Amino acid sequence: MRVAYLSEGASPHDLRFLGLFAQAGHAVGWSTLFGEPAARHLAGLPGVAPLGGAQHLPGFAPDVVVAGPLHTAAFAAALLGLKPLVAVSWGSDALLHTVNDPSAALAAALALSHAAAALADARARSAHLDVLLTPGGRLHEARRAVIEACD
């Protein structure tokens, strides 16, 4: 599977997810909101190719686009119309940014509304993500299944 990965930068979350995708044998292309990932990060991630800016993701011809945090990278992926989109919560986006910043909450909600699925690091974040979703919606159940599978 070809996985296009869009992030703000190179957080521990990003490096962990990228490594897991590559170890599973997927072709992984990585782009950040601020351009190409640094060579020092790519050196530790065999099988992960830099893609340049987010505008280059469609040229990678991904089977899936994984993007997060919700209010930044997933929001950008939604605005670019990248599909199918898996919106990823890092925790602070759902527990801090969307609670304290109405524009971040709006951006996260838009990202989630355009996502085929969502992923969070733990079930504890589920209640906070629920605020951003329409109860009973298709994404709500898909997201819950992904979260439970990752616990």
Side-chain angles (χ1 to χ4, degrees):
M1 180 184 319
R2 296 178 65 77
V3 178
Y5 191 92
L6 177 61
S7 63
E8 282 184 350
S11 75
H13 297 283
D14 299 314
L15 300 177
R16 181 169 47 89
F17 281 125
L18 287 160
L20 290 171
F21 287 133
Q23 287 172 11
H26 301 298
V28 181
W30 181 21
S31 181
T32 71
L33 292 178
F34 308 108
E36 193 168 300
R40 70 179 184 277
H41 297 299
L42 291 166
L45 295 167
V48 177
L51 296 178
Q55 71 275 15
H56 298 290
L57 291 177
F60 181 67
D63 296 307
V64 65
V65 177
V66 177
L70 297 174
H71 67 297
T72 57
F75 176 63
L79 290 178
L80 289 169
L82 300 174
K83 292 182 181 184
L85 172 61
V86 176
V88 183
S89 171
W90 286 183
S92 62
D93 53 356
L95 298 173
L96 177 65
H97 299 292
T98 60
V99 173
N100 296 322
D101 181 355
S103 63
L106 184 60
L110 185 131
L112 288 166
S113 72
H114 283 78
L119 173 66
D121 280 343
R123 185 175 290 130
R125 292 181 191 92
S126 176
H128 294 280
L129 291 176
D130 287 343
V131 172
L132 302 171
L133 299 168
T134 303
R138 66 174 176 79
L139 180 60
H140 177 81
E141 294 305 319
R143 180 197 37 79
R144 183 170 305 285
V146 171
I147 290 170
E148 290 173 359
C150 293
D151 279 347

